[in-house]
Amino acid sequence: MKTRKIAIMGFGTVGGGAYDILTANREYIRNTQGIDIEVRSILDRNSAPLSARGADVSLFCSSADELAGDPEIELVIETMGGVEPARSFIIKMLEHGKSVVTANKELLAKHWCELEPIAKAHGCGLFFEASCVGGVPIIRALGESFQGDKVRAIYGIINGTTNYILSKMSKEGCDYADALKEAQALGYAEFDPTSDVEGFDAAYKLSILGSLAFHTCLPYGRIYREGITKVTARDILNAHDLGYEIKLLAIGKRDGNSIEARVHPVFVPKDHPLASVSGAFNAVYLNGDFVGDLMFYGAGAGAHPTGSAIVSDVITALGGKKKYCDFDNCGKLDGSMELIGDFVSGYYICVTVDDKTGVLSRISTILSDNGVSIKSALQRAENNDAATVVFLTHSANEHSVMHSLQSIAKLADVRSIDSMIRVL
Ligand code: NDP
Ligand code: HSE
């Protein structure tokens, strides 16, 4: 059996995880898949990550030109992260006829349209299962499993770091900063965790998943995005009191030619399957017109779950398969499609007011004047003659709620609007 040689660019959490699997299961893969895979070179800044992982330091390579020029290497795994130099290195490998397997959702969401034609022009595959939802084979499922269905909606917990933080805050009352530090130490967070906590990472992934699900290009820059940094311990307590968990959700919906795409914290009812997805686990809840509801669940981040997705792509690519996305309107929404900004949702609103007669009624009147109907309300007395008022609304238009909040903020006895979180 011919040995197939590959290289890894970026030997950190994910690159190292993929290497572990390729090494530990080499014989198993040879026996079950009929492919013998050897890691011939590893590119990183220096050889320290190789020694740390027990890899042969003679595999170390510091030059992408050297990798590209090695005729024996037929495939390269990119697990460096970030846009540059990952983008230039990938282009170099494709131009030298090497297929690429990447976990880099930021690069894909921003440069998909540039990379795909280069891969095609050079007859190479560009694979990215590991870019979304860690070890869960959602990219393959979207591409190869419901070809006859129209996907109507995706609701996903697709960032492991934020789910880990929110779960720690919810279950253990852990402090936000401590939980983030733990997620970083466990290898879940991005190099700059702002990408996780401000929802960029989830928006990149929603751009990829939504594009595949809705068969149009969903530009990440047009996705409404809000992170978890404003979610407070009090919001979490209020959510529990009202029967909810708070999750960062990525939501994509298609109705005819209208698409809704947003990433933000959501009150998820405790009996919804997404409410019990904890820690670094991810889940994608999907509705297709004939298949109905499906949920994909598994480890959304980490060395070995993500490494598993990488290795699966490597085997598929070496088996001769190509992977492209084939969007005619790469980089912009198809002309026939409209991305809508005003959506309908339930809302949780938390306001601090002067504890005086009539405040609740004045706020209720504003909501009612804007067509926002209150589902439930609770009031708690606080120190300094203040009170916290919490409302849950029935489904309402986003713009009506925003308009109401602007008016509520102007009331003399309203001290602050503390939170507004959408409700699933
Ligand atoms: P790490 O930071 O752990 O690993 C990246 C490695 O690449 C590091 O060793 C880094 O070196 C090296 N590297 C970065 N830039 C260069 C460069 N210019 N030249 C040479 N080496 C370089 O990142 P992760 O493994 O966590 O993430 C890698 C990719 O996988 C990212 O795109 C990420 O979004 C994606 N991903 C990560 C997941 C996870 O669970 N961590 C899950 C799914 C996808 P140094 O440390 O010195 O900078
Ligand atoms: N930082 C990402 C996350 C890694 O936390 O989900 C997996 O893509």
Side-chain angles (χ1 to χ4, degrees), residues 33-335:
Q33 306 300 318
I35 300 181
D36 183 44
I37 305 167
E38 180 186 316
V39 177
R40 179 179 165 86
S41 288
I42 299 173
L43 179 142
D44 208 289
R45 291 188 210 278
N46 54 58
S47 62
L50 282 76
S51 333
R53 214 165 193 108
D56 179 355
V57 288
S58 71
L59 299 179
F60 174 69
C61 165
S62 60
S63 151
D65 287 327
E66 204 180 297
L67 285 191
D70 184 337
E72 289 205 42
I73 294 174
E74 48 180 308
L75 178 146
V76 177
I77 296 170
E78 184 277 309
T79 41
M80 294 161 53
V83 170
E84 282 298 350
R87 173 187 152 277
S88 312
F89 287 7
I90 287 180
I91 291 174
K92 206 185 287 277
M93 300 308 150
L94 293 171
E95 286 174 346
H96 280 78
K98 301 181 198 310
S99 285
V100 170
V101 171
T102 180
N104 195 333
K105 54 268 168 162
E106 178 181 3
L107 179 62
L108 284 171
K110 292 180 177 170
H111 291 278
W112 200 338
C113 335
E114 182 192 10
L115 298 176
E116 188 181 306
I118 299 173
K120 277 186 182 166
H122 292 86
C124 305
L126 177 61
F127 289 77
F128 47 91
E129 182 66 67
S131 65
C132 296
V133 203
V136 180
I138 184 72
I139 302 280
R140 198 152 290 140
L142 284 173
E144 296 172 21
S145 296
F146 346 96
Q147 299 93 323
D149 268 74
K150 286 184 194 149
V151 176
R152 289 193 287 224
I154 307 175
Y155 295 87
I157 294 174
I158 56 177
N159 181 269
T161 302
T162 47
N163 205 47
Y164 184 86
I165 296 171
L166 291 173
S167 302
K168 280 276 178 180
M169 290 171 75
S170 170
K171 288 184 194 310
E172 297 168 29
C174 197
D175 176 65
Y176 167 88
D178 291 342
L180 171 58
K181 271 190 209 137
E182 281 180 33
Q184 288 177 291
L186 289 164
Y188 304 146
E190 296 301 304
F191 176 72
D192 176 0
T194 309
S195 183
D196 297 294
V197 298
E198 292 297 0
F200 290 99
D201 181 79
Y204 300 144
K205 291 168 179 167
L206 181 58
S207 161
I208 296 169
L209 296 176
S211 297
L212 292 171
F214 304 135
H215 297 281
T216 184
C217 182
L218 183 54
Y220 94 91
R222 305 261 320 260
I223 294 174
Y224 175 82
R225 179 194 50 76
E226 219 181 281
I228 63 161
T229 48
K230 291 187 195 139
V231 174
T232 63
R234 183 169 63 175
D235 293 328
I236 290 175
L237 288 178
N238 285 337
H240 289 173
D241 286 351
L242 295 160
Y244 295 85
E245 288 290 346
I246 301 180
K247 299 286 179 191
L248 183 74
L249 288 196
I251 300 174
K253 290 188 195 172
R254 180 172 179 175
D255 183 10
N257 285 343
S258 299
I259 291 191
E260 208 180 294
R262 45 195 169 101
V263 169
H264 52 70
V266 176
F267 268 42
V268 178
K270 277 197 169 165
D271 59 359
H272 191 284
L274 289 172
S276 52
V277 176
S278 292
F281 278 87
N282 279 190
V284 176
Y285 190 88
L286 181 149
N287 175 269
D289 57 353
F290 285 95
V291 72
D293 291 336
L294 297 171
M295 190 157 111
F296 297 83
Y297 170 83
H304 291 148
T306 316
S308 159
I310 296 258
V311 171
S312 167
D313 271 353
V314 169
I315 293 167
T316 309
L318 292 177
K321 215 164 165 189
K322 305 275 190 294
K323 170 87 193 163
Y324 308 119
C325 287
D326 287 318
F327 299 125
D328 293 338
N329 283 288
C330 221
K332 57 185 192 309
L333 198 65
D334 182 325

